[in-house]
Amino acid sequence: MLDPLSLVRLNDEIIDDVELQGRDLVVALDGHADAGHVIPQVRATLLEELDAVLVASFDADQLIDYRARRPQISFLGDHFAAYQRPRIELYRLVDGLGTPFLLLTGPEPDLQWDRFVTAIVRLAVGLNVRLTASFSGVPMPVPHTRRLGVTVHGTRPDLAEGITTWNPRAEIPASVANLIEVELSKAGRDVVGYALHVPHYLGDAEYPQVAVAALEHLGAALGLGLPTDRLREAGRTVEEQIDQQVAGSPEIQRMVHAFERRFDEAAPADRRRSLLLGAGDSLPDGEDLADAAEAYLSSRAADD
C-alpha cells in the first residue's frame, strides 16, 4: 500500500491547534444509503449554518472515478467555466453551544478504500478523536405518518439502548463509512452509526424529516447543539404536499394505512423488534413494494 497520508493535504495554520484534540467526528460521505437525500441535507445545514474551518483535504484525483460519475461544468453560451472539482474534506465546525467538532464530507471514494480509510484512522488517532458518528437513510416499508425508526450500530451499546427499532442480520453492500467504523473499532476508538428508516415511497425525494432525525441523533450522541429550524420548516411544507397527494389517491391511502397498521401492531409489543412486522407477519416482497411505488409515482405524474 502506498503511504496513506500522502493522500492528505493538511491546513498548517490549524492542524496543531490544541482545540482540535479530543473532539468528535461526524462522517458524511455521499454515494451510499442516502434515502431521502439525508447526507447532502445534513452537510449543507452544518456547513452553511455553523462556523467552518478547513482542517485537511484529500487527493480526489486518486480516489474518484470521474467517468463513473462525471463532475459538472457550466457552458455559458460560447465557453465552458466553473468546473466543479470533487472535494473530500475535513472541517472543524463549532456548534450553537460553542463546542468544536469535526466533519468529514464529500463524495465517497470509488478507489483505494483501504488506503483512504487508513489515512482517516491515522488522523483520528493523531487528533485523539473521542467518538466517530455516521448516519445514512435506508428505504423501508414504513409510513410517513409515524416517527422515523432507526438501527444503531457501533461500539457503544449505551447509545443504542431504547433507540434501536430493528436489529437485522444481513449481507449488504459495504460503504466507506462502514469500513471506517470497522477499522476505528479495531484501533480501539468508539464509533456509532445511525441507519434511519425512510418510507420507501419517499426514498428518491428530498425528505427534510430524515435530516432532522439524523441531526437529533448526532446531537444527542455527541452532546452538540445542531441547527434544525430551517429543515423543520422545509419538512412542514413537504408534509403538506405529501398529505395532498395521499388524499388524492385511494391506492396510496390503502398502502399507507397498511404500513400504519403493521407499525402500530408491532410498536407496543416490543420496542426493540422490527416496527415493520406484527407477530407471524413477513416483510412485503419485492412485487408488493414495486406495486406500491408504481402507484405512488403514477399519482404524482397525474398531479403534475
Side-chain angles (χ1 to χ4, degrees), residues 4-145:
L5 291 181
S6 66
L7 288 171
V8 185
R9 181 182 296 107
L10 300 175
N11 180 350
D12 294 333
E13 295 182 2
I14 191 175
I15 192 62
D16 294 324
D17 192 334
V18 67
E19 189 182 57
L20 293 181
Q21 290 289 320
R23 300 303 175 183
D24 296 320
L25 169 64
V26 174
V27 176
L29 296 172
D30 289 320
H32 178 77
D34 193 29
H37 297 193
V38 59
I39 292 174
Q41 288 187 87
V42 168
R43 177 181 61 241
T45 297
L46 295 179
L47 291 178
E48 292 172 11
E49 299 193 31
L50 300 180
D51 176 46
V53 176
L54 183 66
V55 174
S57 57
F58 296 80
D59 188 352
D61 258 1
Q62 299 191 55
L63 300 171
I64 301 299
D65 181 351
Y66 289 86
R67 294 206 301 173
R69 43 176 171 174
R70 294 179 182 271
Q72 296 294 300
I73 193 169
S74 298
F75 182 66
L76 305 179
D78 59 357
H79 67 282
F80 290 99
Y83 172 58
Q84 299 175 32
R85 288 180 174 80
R87 299 184 301 173
I88 305 172
E89 296 170 323
L90 180 68
Y91 286 93
R92 184 221 64 187
L93 303 180
V94 179
D95 77 342
L97 305 175
T99 303
F101 66 101
L102 302 172
L103 174 69
L104 174 66
T105 190
E108 178 186 54
D110 298 305
L111 310 170
Q112 303 191 46
W113 279 20
D114 285 338
R115 188 179 175 209
F116 174 75
V117 171
T118 300
I120 297 300
V121 172
R122 291 187 184 178
L123 283 174
V125 171
L127 294 172
N128 194 28
V129 167
R130 185 180 68 96
L131 175 63
T132 297
S134 62
F135 60 97
S136 60
V138 293
M140 302 282 277
V142 294
H144 68 278
T145 52

Side-chain angles (χ1 to χ4, degrees), residues 158-175:
D158 58 306
L159 296 178
E161 187 175 358
I163 297 175
T164 286
T165 53
W166 194 31
N167 287 111
R169 289 179 176 268
E171 294 290 326
I172 62 174
S175 71

Side-chain angles (χ1 to χ4, degrees), residues 67 119 207 255 288:
R67 294 206 301 173
Y207 191 47
M255 176 188 69
D288 291 335

